[in-house]
Amino acid sequence: MAGSKLDEIDRKILAELQADGRMTNVELAKRVGISAPPCLRRVRTLEEAGYIRGYHADVDSRELGFEVQVFAMVGLVSQAEADLSVFEGKCRDWPLVRECHMLNGEVDFLLKCVAPDLSTFQSFLTEELTSAENVASVKTSLVIRCAKDVPGVPFEVLEERVRQLERGL
Amino acid sequence: MAGSKLDEIDRKILAELQADGRMTNVELAKRVGISAPPCLRRVRTLEEAGYIRGYHADVDSRELGFEVQVFAMVGLVSQAEADLSVFEGKCRDWPLVRECHMLNGEVDFLLKCVAPDLSTFQSFLTEELTSAENVASVKTSLVIRCAKDVPGVPFEVLEERVRQLERGL
DNA sequence: CGTGAAACCGTCGCCCC
DNA sequence: GGGGCGACGGTTTCACG
């Protein structure tokens, strides 16, 4: 099962770097309770194994002038794999689309979009998204406010889960 | 207007740190074309001004055993501000909820959730979310796959916008 | 904003368990 | 296998021009 090859120190490293990705290695080593060299080796291993995909500054999009955030629910005409891939490729090319998730249920895709203002978004919506080949329907909802936006996963839940698994060895 | 107090170097710094949050300051300085000390001063200023909210390692949730990702659309009974705040507070307390956006339109909130497996999510859904006070309806959609998930904002769009504004001085 | 210097950190080789 | 020690080169971060 996934995650089973990580020990407690690895999970603490991931939790710390998820909370503060610019932490120095010596500070990280101090927090997880080992010295710097093995700590750095573990971080490199976690990066190469794909547990850590990268590090990003979390920029404030509204401060930067992207005042509009929109979720778009997209239905397609054809859900054949080739047609899904074509649509996903377009989403990757559209800079205003930041996330593209394929869902089960009534709607095929959920897109998270940002834009500097409503008219920019409307141009994108009418000229690109809605008029794209194979798109059957688009329903959009403006984000009024964001009450929570934390990255990654809840490590508390992971730890609890590990403890349960250990009890059931 | 927001973002107008940043010059081109500041925007390049933000773009670089969004792409690679662990870049060293000397590398960053080289890329934006200034020397290290003023570059670090700019980064600190951007952090204090709130343009940079933090730095995070981007961990692979599926590799870590969070195999279930769900979007939940929540309708409330009352949309009075006090009741909205209460619900948002609960979302902040629920570790499985990673994002909570208030939307316009038919649904009041869109939640992004993660869970180790379906039964964990179902317990949360039935025992916590659906049975929470003031919650009228919950519709959930499982994420089948994620075609795109890039953090932050498209700086290409910002630069284009700045050029347009400069032409219209 | 740049230069120089001092303190700190990332990183490696080696030894240890 | 992993962790610790010591040392070198690069980096962060001052004070100052």
Side-chain angles (χ1 to χ4, degrees), chain B residues 35 37-38 41-42:
Chain B
S35 64
R41 284 195 289 264
R42 280 169 180 264

Side-chain angles (χ1 to χ4, degrees), chain B residues 88-163:
Chain B
E88 290 175 340
K90 282 178 185 156
C91 287
R92 277 188 277 264
D93 289 340
W94 285 321
L96 297 186
V97 175
R98 309 311 281 169
E99 299 181 24
C100 170
H101 306 275
M102 181 177 166
L103 304 182
N104 79 338
E106 301 163 31
V107 74
D108 295 313
F109 286 93
L110 178 64
L111 273 48
K112 186 199 245 175
C113 308
V114 298
D117 50 44
L118 264 183
S119 74
T120 305
F121 178 73
Q122 281 186 16
S123 302
F124 164 73
L125 178 62
T126 57
E127 294 164 24
E128 305 275 355
L129 181 55
T130 305
S131 59
E133 207 182 336
N134 195 33
V135 168
S137 68
V138 180
K139 284 177 66 175
T140 60
S141 282
L142 278 172
V143 175
I144 295 174
R145 69 189 191 203
C146 179
K148 183 178 189 176
D149 190 358
V150 291
V153 299
F155 279 94
E156 327 110 73
V157 175
L158 225 197
E159 293 301 332
E160 199 179 314
R161 190 133 236 276
V162 168
R163 266 179 261 124

Side-chain angles (χ1 to χ4, degrees), chain B residues 3-22:
Chain B
S4 60
K5 299 166 85 177
L6 300 180
D7 63 12
E8 194 183 336
I9 294 179
D10 289 321
R11 294 194 301 270
K12 278 180 93 170
I13 287 175
L14 290 170
E16 293 288 347
L17 286 179
Q18 178 177 281
D20 178 7
R22 281 208 84 129

Side-chain angles (χ1 to χ4, degrees), chain B residues 13 25 28-29 34-45 47:
Chain B
I13 287 175
N25 184 57
L28 180 61
I34 59 179
S35 64
C39 184
L40 185 62
R41 284 195 289 264
R42 280 169 180 264
V43 172
R44 295 280 175 267
T45 305
E47 289 168 354

